[in-house]
Amino acid sequence: MLGVRSLRGGCRGREAVRIFSRMFQRLAPSGGRQLTVSSHMSSSAHPAPGVAEADVAEQSIESSSNYAHETRAVNSMARRQCPVWSHNEWDPLEEVIVGRVEGAMVPPFSTEVKANTYQYHWDFFEKNGGKAFPAKHLELAHEEVEEFVRILEAEGITVRRPEICDFSKEYVTPDFRSSGLYSAMPRDVLLVLGDEIIECPMAWRSRFFEFRAFRPLVREYFKQGARWTTPPKPLMNDELYEQNYPMDTVEDRHHLAAEGKFITTEYEPCFDAADFIRAGKDIFVQRSQVTNKFGIEWMRRHLGDRYRLHVLSFDDPNPMHIDATFNIIGPGLVLSNPDRPCHQIEHFKKAGWTIIKPPAPAMPDSHPLWMSSKWLSMNVLMLDPKRVVVDSNEVPTIKMFEKLGIECVKVSLRFANSLGGGFHCWTSDIRRRGILETYF
Ligand code: ARG
């Protein structure tokens, strides 16, 4: 999956090598070893139709001339003071988008929604698909999210919000009809890489137009100097979904996930932003129910030499969004879900990373989580490497952070969790102070 070959330079782990200082000191990569990391698709996986085998084969990414070129580019971008500027999940946060509860709708119960939800909620989806979530629940979620916003603002962070949209409107394309979902989870749709903001080609029909809620912000950021990318929009016709995907048993799904098969096919590229997680030059992605190999390949070619894209996989029968599975919270520091071991963890250990297994979530079974597992407990938002926003009810997780010397900003997000996300999902960081560095 993830090939690591040694050339020159040292394992950096927590001690990031500063590209800037390198440039200014005009140092050639120092003696010793330098990691060249390649990303390629699993050999058990079917290559996407139209994607040549050679394209998904191992590819060496870094070369020192590219490195110097990129360093200059980064430097000039930093000087421009772009409003969009974020390279990882933990540098000091300056501006963030927080999602909205207003207008949240239960998605129509289509195959891809069924494949991503738990059987004990199917009745709920069958009855409520296309209608609003229960009003009282939304009211409580709204209070929590607005309190979260006030707390971020009190920390001196600029908070931006999507438009209030009517997600109940039905839309018809030549290939399907649907109504919408929400603008609650900016992390799912917007991927920020340095000064670039990517509106991701999501895989759920109910999310086809979700980017519209964020368009006013993206237009504004573009005018202020950000780069704005929209990958090919999927048609989302029936060929994008595995019609015979077995829904009923977790064993079936485990089996299929292990073979690299999911509800989405390889008909056309699709990916959600939340299947990517950033650590400077190294970006990690998982093949999931909503991110296919074709989409990963599209991103790999799009990123070219600017980043190293690594495909990770986990023991997870139902992967969708990596941030409750493998949440990178600091330079060489990762929360790795103990129920979903990472198949490539040895590479992180070799690179000197600290791997933390977070404690079991404290969420009671009685609380409805319509669209996720309880592991939202580890779906935290770093304000800087030493401060984290964590759910005030998740006492074991709070204790874990305190032991790590990370100060906890405690906010309750229980009712907002029911819509499928924690603090990381409910946000998309637009600007973090810091530069592009190498940590892996
Ligand atoms: N699918 C994950 C789970 O059930 C939740 C991930 C939520 N993340 C997000 N960005 N919406 O554990």
Side-chain angles (χ1 to χ4, degrees):
M1 250 305 134
L2 176 117
V4 177
R5 280 182 291 140
S6 296
L7 294 180
R8 309 179 300 276
C11 287
R12 285 116 189 197
R14 306 187 69 159
E15 279 166 48
V17 175
R18 295 197 162 248
I19 292 177
F20 270 52
S21 57
R22 274 188 176 219
M23 199 189 100
F24 290 127
Q25 292 161 18
R26 290 173 189 261
L27 284 180
S30 55
R33 298 179 315 123
Q34 175 174 322
L35 287 177
T36 289
V37 184
S38 48
S39 76
H40 62 105
M41 307 298 177
S42 145
S43 52
S44 66
H46 303 281
V51 177
E53 284 280 1
D55 294 329
V56 292
E58 187 168 322
Q59 234 212 9
S60 146
I61 293 180
E62 192 174 354
S63 77
S64 47
S65 63
N66 284 333
Y67 202 69
H69 174 76
E70 279 305 308
T71 304
R72 274 194 296 279
V74 165
N75 187 28
S76 75
M77 285 192 281
R79 247 184 287 148
R80 273 198 284 131
Q81 293 280 316
C82 187
V84 175
W85 187 255
S86 175
H87 296 284
N88 59 45
E89 313 289 338
W90 62 82
D91 272 346
L93 186 63
E94 294 183 342
E95 181 162 335
V96 71
I97 301 177
V98 176
R100 277 194 185 278
V101 172
E102 292 95 320
M105 300 292 293
V106 180
F109 198 37
S110 49
T111 20
E112 77 280 12
V113 174
K114 193 167 182 183
N116 282 291
T117 48
Y118 294 93
Q119 204 164 2
Y120 46 84
H121 287 313
W122 287 355
D123 271 355
F124 172 84
F125 282 99
E126 249 147 30
K127 274 193 209 115
N128 297 293
K131 298 185 194 151
F133 280 99
K136 184 68 196 161
H137 206 97
L138 285 191
E139 216 175 277
L140 294 168
H142 181 251
E143 274 170 29
E144 288 174 338
V145 173
E146 299 312 301
E147 175 66 5
F148 173 40
V149 168
R150 281 191 290 275
I151 288 170
L152 291 173
E153 285 174 341
E155 295 288 338
I157 295 159
T158 303
V159 178
R160 307 298 306 273
R161 311 299 297 276
E163 294 270 273
I164 295 182
C165 294
D166 179 4
F167 292 103
S168 70
K169 256 199 222 156
E170 208 186 43
Y171 42 85
V172 182
T173 79
D175 299 295
F176 68 93
R177 64 174 60 226
S178 182
S179 51
L181 178 64
Y182 51 39
S183 57
M185 311 289 160
R187 188 74 61 182
D188 296 357
V189 56
L190 299 178
L191 180 60
V192 170
L193 298 176
D195 68 341
E196 181 179 18
I197 187 157
I198 302 175
E199 289 174 353
C200 292
M202 306 180 89
W204 281 20
R205 288 174 169 174
S206 51
R207 308 191 84 170
F208 189 79
F209 284 120
E210 200 163 303
F211 66 92
R212 291 170 58 97
F214 302 92
R215 268 288 164 92
L217 291 173
V218 178
R219 277 202 307 265
E220 181 191 317
Y221 290 134
F222 178 80
K223 284 183 188 161
Q224 293 169 1
R227 286 187 292 148
W228 175 8
T229 301
T230 56
K233 195 88 184 125
L235 303 179
M236 295 191 185
N237 65 20
D238 289 347
E239 294 194 58
L240 182 57
Y241 310 101
E242 188 58 69
Q243 300 302 329
N244 300 318
Y245 187 77
M247 299 284 181
D248 290 337
T249 73
V250 173
E251 289 71 40
D252 278 345
R253 290 193 195 184
H254 255 300
H255 204 67
L256 287 174
E259 286 174 22
K261 289 190 191 144
F262 299 94
I263 187 69
T264 44
T265 65
E266 296 296 337
Y267 176 68
E268 58 187 346
C270 62
F271 55 90
D272 277 16
D275 275 320
F276 294 79
I277 197 135
R278 306 157 307 155
K281 271 288 240 193
D282 294 284
I283 310 216
F284 303 91
V285 61
Q286 66 170 353
R287 185 356 172 165
S288 78
Q289 297 285 20
V290 291
T291 294
N292 62 12
K293 292 184 199 118
F294 209 162
I296 295 171
E297 174 61 14
W298 189 93
M299 273 294 275
R300 194 183 65 71
R301 288 195 211 170
H302 174 69
L303 297 176
D305 291 339
R306 287 187 291 146
Y307 292 96
R308 296 175 290 218
L309 184 62
H310 311 276
V311 182
L312 301 182
S313 56
F314 304 87
D315 277 349
D316 184 355
N318 216 15
M320 175 166 168
H321 305 152
I322 200 168
D323 53 359
T325 300
F326 201 75
N327 195 5
I328 303 178
I329 57 162
L333 186 62
V334 61
L335 300 179
S336 182
N337 186 324
D339 281 358
R340 302 172 187 165
C342 173
H343 298 154
Q344 294 79 19
I345 202 68
E346 286 308 317
H347 295 298
F348 291 89
K349 289 185 182 160
K350 265 190 219 144
W353 284 38
T354 304
I355 292 121
I356 311 262
K357 291 190 179 155
M363 178 78 85
D365 284 339
S366 54
H367 190 79
L369 288 178
W370 293 302
M371 294 170 58
S372 76
S373 74
K374 293 181 183 181
W375 281 106
L376 298 179
S377 54
M378 61 176 277
N379 187 260
V380 294
L381 177 73
M382 300 308 291
L383 299 184
D384 64 46
K386 289 286 163 203
R387 279 180 322 148
V388 62
V389 185
V390 57
D391 197 294
S392 52
N393 305 286
E394 292 292 340
V395 178
T397 306
I398 292 173
K399 286 199 179 131
M400 172 198 76
F401 281 117
E402 285 170 352
K403 265 203 208 139
L404 288 169
I406 295 175
E407 186 194 325
C408 294
V409 176
K410 298 164 204 153
V411 185
S412 177
L413 207 68
R414 279 286 192 255
F415 290 90
N417 284 164
S418 300
L419 300 186
F423 298 103
H424 194 258
C425 321
W426 274 91
T427 53
S428 177
D429 34 294
I430 289 298
R431 203 172 56 250
R432 288 184 183 268
R433 207 158 51 237
I435 53 167
L436 184 65
E437 298 185 26
T438 300
Y439 307 94
F440 185 69

